[in-house]
Structures are given as C-alpha cells and as structure tokens.
Amino acid sequence: ISSNTHTMAGNLSGAGTISFTSGTLNIAGSNTMTGTFNAGTGTVNFNGTGGQTIKAASYYNLGTSGSGTKVLQGAITINGNLAVSGTTTLLTNQYQITGTSSGTLTMDSGTSLLIGNPANATGVSFPSIFTSSNILLNSNSTVSYQANTSQTISATPVYGHLTTATS
C-alpha cells in the first residue's frame, strides 16, 4: 500500500507480511493476523459497524469509525494520531496505549474510551505521552476508568464525561 486508500470488507488475518509507507487501510472486520504488520506513516482505520479487534502493534495513525466496540488485543503504540470517531467505543482491556508528544488524540461526540477491564486487576492509564494541547475530547465524549484495581485519573485532558467503575 503506498499513498492509496484500501478498504477490506472483512477480517485481516493470516501469517503474511503487510507493509505500507503511507495511505489508508480501512478494515471493516478484525485484525487477527499473526504475521508482520508495518503501518509505516499510514493510517489504519477500523471502520466496521460492529465489534472489532485491534492487533497489538505500532501504528502511525490509528482511527476508529463506524459503530461498535473496538477492542485492543495487546498494548499499542501510536507514532502519530489517534482518532475515535463515529459512535465507536475503544476498549483498552488491560493494555496501555502509548502515544507521542507531537501526535493528537481526538474523540468525537458520542464516542467512548474504556480504560481497563473490569475483570482484570491490571491498572491501565489514560493514553500516555500525548500532550494536553494535543488532546481534544468532545464535550459529548466519555472516558471511563474501569479496571478492577486502583487507577490514577489523568489530570492532563479536559474530559467531556468522566466515569469510574469496577466489577
């Protein structure tokens, strides 16, 4: 994939290698591939209308759009921007999202970020390294700290809606 946009209507799976330098890869299914995944400076957008799994990997730009819950399968690194849009929920489970100080984290109206897993005692933090001036949370977005352990609520972002919950 170079500077084009490619859309996959189903899952990205298998044991091969996917590499691209720029462009956009829209995935309507889940990314469960076991091979090498190199997003270069491109954008990977999970744009399905239902639940999707997001592979533990390093992404340049990562987006969620459409609807449904997008679930991390491991820790991820964002070397550019993270955009939560549509009416999606991004569930971190017990995995950390690590950003970059030059990247932006945006959440649109009607989106949610669930930090932690109520069935797991791993403390997860708000996505790290993004700077306060580059975190844009819509006033109608929701961030929920929900691990089954103590979590520190980040003072960095200006939250739209903030909730806490444990099982």
Side-chain angles (χ1 to χ4, degrees):
I1 301 172
S2 59
S3 61
N4 297 316
T5 297
H6 295 276
T7 300
M8 297 188 66
N11 294 329
L12 177 59
S13 60
T17 298
I18 291 189
S19 292
F20 57 103
T21 55
S22 62
T24 301
L25 175 61
N26 291 310
I27 303 172
S30 293
N31 181 354
T32 59
M33 69 176 292
T34 57
T36 303
F37 183 78
N38 179 357
T41 59
T43 298
V44 178
N45 182 39
F46 288 86
N47 65 343
T49 58
Q52 293 179 269
T53 57
I54 299 175
K55 176 183 175 67
S58 181
Y59 297 89
Y60 189 75
N61 296 318
L62 178 66
T64 66
S65 61
S67 60
T69 301
K70 318 308 182 184
V71 182
L72 296 187
Q73 297 302 297
I76 62 172
T77 299
I78 309 293
N79 294 309
N81 304 319
L82 172 60
V84 183
S85 59
T87 57
T88 62
T89 295
L90 178 57
L91 171 59
T92 68
N93 268 328
Q94 62 267 26
Y95 307 112
Q96 186 64 44
I97 298 173
T98 303
T100 180
S101 61
S102 60
T104 60
L105 187 162
T106 58
M107 289 181 65
D108 289 350
S109 177
T111 61
S112 298
L113 174 62
L114 307 179
I115 301 172
N117 182 330
N120 191 290
T122 301
V124 180
S125 302
F126 188 85
S128 63
I129 305 181
F130 291 106
T131 60
S132 60
S133 61
N134 290 344
I135 299 173
L136 308 168
L137 308 182
N138 183 281
S139 62
N140 289 316
S141 66
T142 301
V143 174
S144 180
Y145 290 83
Q146 62 174 21
N148 194 9
T149 190
S150 297
Q151 287 179 279
T152 300
I153 296 175
S154 175
T156 301
V158 175
Y159 296 98
H161 299 279
L162 173 64
T163 63
T164 59
T166 58
S167 62

